[in-house]
Amino acid sequence: YATWHVLRRRRQRAARTGSSGATSARRNIRAAIALLEWVRHHGRPFAEVTQAAIDLWVTTSPPGRRCARAFLSWAAARKLVPRGTVPAGPHQLPSSTITASHLQACVHRLATDSSIAAVERTAGLLVALYGQPATRLVRLRVDHVTINGNQVTLRLGRHHVELPPVLAGLVVELVTDRPLRGLSAPAVSPWLFPGGHPGRPLTAKWLAARIT
């Protein structure tokens, strides 16, 4: 990766612009090394690394480790890891840090306050309980939901997660009713969070703004 991808691209860039971008090259290589060391420390072959493991590593590591995304993209393109393990790139969506007690209060309100729109309650609980960013939520499709009696599962990445009763009820409501900003989106929309335009999901920016 370092020799045939990073260094080769930097040399090509230097030939075109006179600037090699050495700082970003070192940052990407260090992030790749840190990721491989972390995976090895947890006793798992790199080829078997999961989306959940990568998400855990990214969210519990210094911000610079997001630079490993370039390495994961390179590895996925060569089928060294599943493509689904590549985390989303950086974005400019609203963000904030809250305490554990504040988070617990938010979860309680989202679970019990029926005056909040189902879209916002569902999205908020998925963020609070499963750490799903808005950029992933808007890509959820109706066929990611499986309803089997009282059991409702939702596919998050490569895994099917059984939802707790309150969240399960909200997801079923979205699948059947599709409320959106006071409008009724077409029932044929494939998206769990359909947008105002036919065939398109909500924008991550709009959804994030409503649940922050």
Side-chain angles (χ1 to χ4, degrees), residues 119-120 123 133-134 137-138 193 202-212:
V119 167
E120 296 166 25
L137 295 182
V138 296
F193 297 99
L202 278 173
T203 65
K205 185 175 182 179
W206 184 92
L207 189 59
R210 296 302 295 263
I211 60 178
T212 52

Side-chain angles (χ1 to χ4, degrees), residues 180-181 183-186 189 191-203:
L180 175 64
R181 285 183 275 182
L183 302 176
S184 296
S189 174
W191 304 105
L192 185 61
F193 297 99
H197 298 284
R200 295 183 184 180
L202 278 173
T203 65

